[in-house]
Amino acid sequence: MIDPQLEWQTERLIAEPLRVEHADDAHLFLRDESMYEFTGGSPLSVAELRQRFERLQQRRSPDGAEVWCNWALRVKKTGEAVGLLQSTLPTGGPSSDVAQVAWEVGLKHQGRGYASEAARELVRQLLSDNWCVVADIHPEHTASQRVAHHAGMVSTSQIVDGEVRWWAEPWGGSREVIDPPWEAWSPSELAERLTDVTAPWAVAAGWALDLFRGEQTREHEDLELAVPIAEFHQIQMALQGLEFEVVGSGHSWPIDSAAFNFMVQTWLREPTSGVYRLDVFREPHAGDQWICRRDQRIRRPYSEVVETTHEGVPYLAPEIVLLFKAKHDRSKDHADFEGVLPLLDDHRKCWLRDALLLVHPTHPWLAKLPEEEPS
């Protein structure tokens, strides 16, 4: 596992864990206006850089969701500061999201291959730890694109805030998923197909909240199911007429790929029409106890995790669904929270509060949850 507090080296460079005292050297190459042509912004003063580096030196985001890996780059022979390197890692590990990387090299030292050398080694380390790696690069920033290419990354069709997402993955055989054709089953149709499954499976995500509410409140693009990973074979047996694909971060792999051991999602599609019907999450567990994949300290017996509608459709408890939705900042997730919150009893609200404090301790939803459960 890459350690943000350890120094490492390439053939010509030393990567030192970023500290406040690096601000003086960094200011020498970050003060040039042309450094911000593609990234936006403007040069910071030494004092402002010190404040920024002091935050980054904490090695973790305020909400606890990300590990911040930042290094100052120096030339081995001369000790001269040449640039900065960073990677942002979700605390949930490679199965929870991608590792994001970025680099900056001062104008004086550009064109010497320093950025490519540092990025190549960083990406190599991340891939060896089974991370999928991404970099978001301005479509006109050809120099940065060359760095990504030399680091073994390829451009994708994904556009993130006006930048092209570049990608590298550790297992090989991935396919970019572009506009997948979804015609998901309804929860009741799924329940009919899984009648013989004895594992504690449950409808998850937005559909689970609507099953809890007792009515459909909005359109759902897909249908998600959660099942203990050790019981996934029961889903395979029940739905063996469909094709299974491991999916994550906008890419898919064959079901027998090594990605299966790191990505938790599996999409199922009809082989004739090619349409996707179901998204299965293979969840960690310890026997009959569910374990949250975002933070393994959060555990509950499946008897409390899976609830059932009057029609017999299992669904994930709403407070757990909201915990997963808290990671995102999408309008539908905020609407789901506002719509479901009045329907939660004090016990559910307090469980969600305690879980958010562990996973997202600065989340704005906490302000609307009780500080403690009434006696």
Side-chain angles (χ1 to χ4, degrees):
M1 180 71 175
I2 193 167
D3 190 333
Q5 301 190 66
L6 289 182
E7 177 183 296
W8 49 273
Q9 300 183 19
T10 65
E11 182 179 354
R12 298 179 296 168
L13 299 171
I14 297 174
E16 300 176 340
L18 191 68
R19 301 185 299 273
V20 173
E21 50 265 36
H22 287 123
D24 292 337
D25 288 337
H27 182 257
L28 296 177
F29 57 80
L30 291 177
R31 62 188 178 184
D32 195 304
E33 291 279 356
S34 61
M35 290 284 291
Y36 305 88
E37 177 182 1
F38 298 108
T39 60
S42 58
L44 300 178
S45 67
V46 173
E48 290 170 327
L49 277 177
R50 282 182 168 271
Q51 290 180 344
R52 178 189 171 206
F53 287 8
E54 186 174 7
R55 290 194 302 272
L56 295 176
Q57 191 175 275
Q58 302 304 309
R59 318 295 184 203
R60 185 162 293 221
S61 62
D63 65 2
E66 297 174 339
V67 176
W68 290 343
C69 306
N70 295 271
W71 296 272
L73 300 175
R74 293 187 179 276
V75 179
K76 278 185 182 179
K77 286 186 177 181
T78 65
E80 190 173 6
V82 297
L84 302 172
L85 187 68
Q86 72 178 59
S87 180
T88 302
L89 310 178
T91 53
S95 65
S96 62
D97 209 339
V98 296
Q100 294 187 295
V101 297
W103 46 82
E104 294 177 284
V105 169
L107 289 178
K108 175 183 174 182
H109 298 282
Q110 290 180 9
R112 304 182 188 183
Y114 289 144
S116 294
E117 187 173 318
R120 184 166 55 244
E121 175 58 22
L122 176 58
V123 170
R124 186 199 67 77
Q125 291 187 46
L126 291 167
L127 293 178
S128 69
D129 286 335
N130 288 297
W131 289 96
C132 292
V133 185
V134 301
D136 298 332
I137 302 174
H138 192 282
E140 297 178 9
H141 198 338
T142 56
S144 197
Q145 292 168 22
R146 285 195 296 270
V147 171
H149 175 73
H150 290 149
M153 308 181 78
V154 296
S155 63
T156 73
S157 63
Q158 292 179 275
I159 305 297
V160 180
D161 296 330
E163 296 184 320
V164 177
R165 173 149 290 187
W166 286 65
W167 157 276
E169 54 98 359
W171 310 294
S174 69
R175 174 179 63 87
E176 187 179 4
V177 178
I178 304 172
D179 297 326
W182 271 95
E183 293 181 19
W185 291 321
S186 68
S188 58
E189 288 175 316
L190 175 62
E192 290 177 6
R193 287 171 166 82
L194 300 184
T195 302
D196 296 330
V197 173
T198 59
W201 68 271
V203 172
W207 258 122
L209 297 181
D210 275 355
L211 292 175
F212 171 72
R213 293 178 179 185
E215 61 176 336
Q216 183 174 350
T217 62
R218 62 174 175 84
E219 291 296 319
H220 300 280
E221 302 87 11
D222 54 13
L223 175 64
E224 294 165 301
L225 172 152
V227 67
I229 189 169
E231 303 297 337
F232 176 67
H233 66 279
Q234 290 197 41
I235 305 299
Q236 289 180 293
M237 290 296 295
L239 302 174
Q240 57 186 305
L242 300 181
E243 292 182 347
F244 288 66
E245 300 175 3
V246 178
V247 176
S249 305
H251 287 69
S252 72
W253 295 261
I255 191 65
D256 58 356
S257 165
F260 181 89
N261 298 315
F262 297 93
M263 295 295 177
V264 300
Q265 279 183 274
T266 313
W267 284 5
L268 282 63
R269 68 174 178 175
E270 292 182 344
T272 52
S273 66
V275 300
Y276 290 94
R277 297 296 195 181
L278 183 64
D279 182 0
V280 179
F281 283 80
R282 294 168 275 113
E283 300 285 348
H285 64 105
D288 61 358
Q289 191 163 61
W290 168 82
I291 300 175
C292 178
R293 63 178 183 271
R294 299 272 168 80
D295 191 317
Q296 295 200 359
R297 293 174 294 178
I298 302 174
R299 303 181 177 213
R300 289 176 70 178
Y302 270 104
S303 59
E304 297 178 4
V305 167
V306 179
E307 305 186 16
T308 309
T309 67
H310 293 302
E311 294 75 24
V313 181
Y315 63 91
L316 201 60
E319 63 272 23
I320 295 177
V321 175
L322 291 174
L323 173 61
F324 284 119
K325 281 180 166 286
K327 173 185 176 181
H328 309 287
D329 190 24
R330 303 174 300 193
S331 58
K332 67 178 182 180
D333 299 314
H334 292 297
D336 283 342
F337 174 77
E338 295 293 344
V340 171
L341 183 62
L343 305 178
L344 301 182
D345 60 27
D346 289 333
H347 176 72
R348 292 184 191 272
K349 290 177 181 177
C350 289
W351 184 93
L352 178 58
R353 176 208 63 208
D354 292 343
L356 283 174
L357 286 171
L358 288 174
V359 184
H360 305 290
T362 61
H363 202 284
W365 291 355
L366 285 166
K368 299 188 177 183
L369 294 169
E371 292 186 4
E372 60 182 21
E373 189 169 356
S375 58

